[in-house]
Amino acid sequence: MHTSQKPGRDRFLDIVRAVAILAVVVQHWGMPVLSYSDGHLATGNALATPGWWVLTWASQVMPLVFFAGGAANLISLNRAESSRSWLAARLKRLMVPVLPLVGVWLFVPDILRGMGIPEQPLQVGGAIAAQLLWFLAVYVLTVLLTPLLAAAHRRWGLKVPLAMLAAAVLVDVARFNDLGLIGFANAIFVWMAVHQLGFHYTQGRLGSMGRNAALGMSAAGFGITALMVAFGPYPASMIGMPGAPVSNMSPPTVLLAFLAIGQIGLLLAFKPKLNALAARPNLDAALKWIGPRFMSVYLWHMPALIVVAGVTVYGLGYETPEPGSVLWLTMVPAWLGACGLVLFGLLRLFDRFETQSSGPAPTALTPQLVLAGLLISGGLLGLAAHGFAPLSDGITQGPVPWVALAMGGYFLAGKRIPVSELSVRLLGRAVSVTEMAQLKR
């Protein structure tokens, strides 16, 4: 059993999460370089402009998302009646905002095809709408492991993230010595290490760190990052660049863990000022508004970009000006504003899935919840990798199997199902998928 004490909200964590999600949104909206001609949508990245890689050291904020998530997960776990009830509630809460996105994008590609949209931009749109689900797939795994990692934190403290960092270094060594696929193991080691640092903010020295110590931590993190870029096999950009032979992001390298140390230390150095800023009425109201909508903002900001790009680039023939030019600097505010308006409209339609109650409390037992989480993670990862393709291309070839996997996990995370009944249901799903594949042939 866990303590039921309910301390007040941590404004510092609120503002870190808000800054992180807004940075993700602005970067994703601002970096595309787009043009359309003869059925082909050309896509580029403004951050590939020479020298602009330095911006990614601040704009790559996924480390902050996992750090804040770790702190929030430990706080909520300590408030819960049990690890089982906490895990059940977290899985449902994470998956519910995905439901409308999947429900809409299962049919949007066929609708757009029916409107005469060419195949290549249709594929680009379907891929963009789903690609950010990778984060949720990994985050669900962190949720599954949080009770175990919390116990490890209580027993071994800083040794846990240090061991994960050491493992991440070894993975990178193997990756850069012709074992490329092993690099995907760092999707666990890197992000779990950063997630674990969130525990040390909630229950550890990070939460009470003084300004000088925090600045020292930041200097060490950024310094090690710079040395590894200068003398190692790592690119200077903290996000993947078109045509680059190596990406620090996909799969993540250990470099992102050291970047996290730099970013977290810098924010901790200004924690008192950030707390004072967050206490101002206007900003406090903004944080209270966006707090319950973090996942909805994350999930729908790319569809908002698709709408704006579809209307302007495909429909009106607009071409992104040269990044950094006067015209580009002039147009970026209008572009961001248009995307913001579309996102606000989408949130008015779909944020209720996240902000309103998700129904009766789940009753599933822990083994069933673990299976549910694995199914959800696998389904979302499959969607992120393959995108939303038209259903008319074939049921088994498109997103349906991955959606079925994730939805199966979602339902398993709810009501307790006896083992015998669960086996029958899983067998029935397997048979139905096999039958569909045979019919397809």
Side-chain angles (χ1 to χ4, degrees):
M1 298 294 287
H2 298 279
T3 178
S4 59
Q5 183 180 3
K6 295 187 178 182
R9 290 195 63 85
D10 188 317
R11 281 201 175 101
F12 176 74
L13 288 179
D14 286 344
I15 204 164
V16 168
R17 283 182 292 191
V19 167
I21 192 64
L22 292 177
V24 168
V25 170
V26 170
Q27 177 173 273
H28 286 161
W29 286 351
M31 69 183 185
V33 178
L34 306 171
S35 63
Y36 177 79
S37 178
D38 298 327
H40 184 269
L41 178 67
T43 60
N45 191 330
L47 291 174
T49 303
W52 284 27
W53 57 265
V54 70
L55 299 176
T56 67
W57 289 43
S59 66
Q60 173 51 281
V61 292
M62 273 301 162
L64 295 180
V65 174
F66 279 95
F67 165 74
N73 281 338
L74 187 60
I75 291 171
S76 59
L77 177 62
N78 287 337
R79 294 177 183 177
E81 295 180 358
S82 67
S83 297
R84 185 208 64 80
S85 64
W86 176 83
L87 182 57
R90 291 299 289 161
L91 289 178
K92 297 286 282 188
R93 178 165 176 77
L94 287 171
M95 189 59 187
V96 165
V98 181
L99 302 181
L101 181 79
V102 170
V104 169
W105 275 93
L106 274 177
F107 303 102
V108 162
D110 280 295
I111 294 172
L112 295 178
R113 175 180 279 177
M115 295 170 60
I117 304 298
E119 290 301 309
Q120 188 268 348
L122 191 64
Q123 292 173 0
V124 172
I128 289 174
Q131 67 182 10
L132 295 186
L133 291 173
W134 75 263
F135 160 72
L136 197 54
V138 176
Y139 194 74
V140 166
L141 295 180
T142 70
V143 167
L144 288 179
L145 291 172
T146 289
L148 296 177
L149 293 175
H153 167 74
R154 290 190 294 269
R155 182 169 182 178
W156 293 300
L158 275 174
K159 293 179 181 178
V160 179
L162 289 176
M164 292 177 179
L165 278 178
V169 170
L170 293 177
V171 167
D172 275 4
V173 170
R175 171 185 175 179
F176 291 117
N177 283 276
D178 300 324
L179 293 174
L181 289 178
I182 200 173
F184 287 96
N186 271 347
I188 299 297
F189 291 128
V190 168
W191 297 131
M192 292 295 180
V194 179
H195 185 265
Q196 203 77 4
L197 291 180
F199 290 5
H200 287 272
Y201 171 80
T202 300
Q203 293 179 349
R205 296 181 180 179
L206 290 184
S208 58
M209 183 176 284
R211 179 182 175 87
N212 290 338
L215 288 174
M217 172 183 170
S218 180
F222 285 124
I224 294 173
T225 303
L227 289 173
M228 294 176 72
V229 168
F231 300 104
Y234 302 97
S237 173
M238 296 299 129
I239 66 172
M241 290 297 178
V246 177
S247 167
N248 282 317
M249 185 64 188
S250 181
T253 67
V254 72
L255 204 66
L256 293 181
F258 291 108
L259 179 72
I261 292 171
Q263 292 178 339
I264 293 166
L266 188 61
L267 289 173
L268 288 172
F270 293 94
K271 180 180 176 181
K273 292 185 178 181
L274 290 174
N275 280 336
L277 189 65
R280 294 183 178 181
N282 290 340
L283 188 54
D284 181 59
L287 291 173
K288 288 179 179 177
W289 181 86
I290 198 172
R293 297 171 173 83
F294 278 127
M295 192 58 64
S296 297
V297 171
Y298 179 80
L299 292 173
W300 287 101
H301 80 275
M302 292 305 277
L305 172 65
I306 293 170
V307 171
V308 173
V311 171
T312 59
V313 178
Y314 173 78
L316 302 177
Y318 171 75
E319 294 186 7
T320 306
E322 180 182 355
S325 65
V326 174
L327 183 57
W328 184 84
L329 293 171
T330 303
M331 294 302 298
V332 161
W335 181 268
L336 296 179
C339 291
L341 287 174
V342 174
L343 175 60
F344 183 73
L346 292 172
L347 292 178
R348 291 291 299 271
L349 292 173
F350 301 118
D351 69 0
R352 67 195 67 185
F353 286 83
E354 184 175 10
T355 58
Q356 295 179 3
S357 173
S358 57
T363 58
L365 297 181
T366 300
Q368 184 178 325
L369 291 170
V370 172
L371 176 59
L374 293 175
L375 291 176
I376 290 171
S377 180
L380 294 179
L381 191 60
L383 277 175
H386 295 88
F388 290 103
L391 298 179
S392 53
D393 286 346
I395 297 296
T396 60
Q397 304 301 316
V400 171
W402 304 111
V403 171
L405 204 62
M407 291 301 297
Y410 170 71
F411 288 115
L412 275 180
K415 185 179 178 181
R416 177 184 176 183
I417 301 175
V419 175
S420 58
E421 183 182 349
L422 177 58
S423 301
V424 171
R425 290 194 182 188
L426 291 176
L427 180 61
R429 289 182 183 274
V431 170
S432 64
V433 170
T434 303
E435 289 176 345
M436 284 193 295
Q438 291 174 343
L439 288 174
K440 176 66 178 176
R441 295 192 192 101

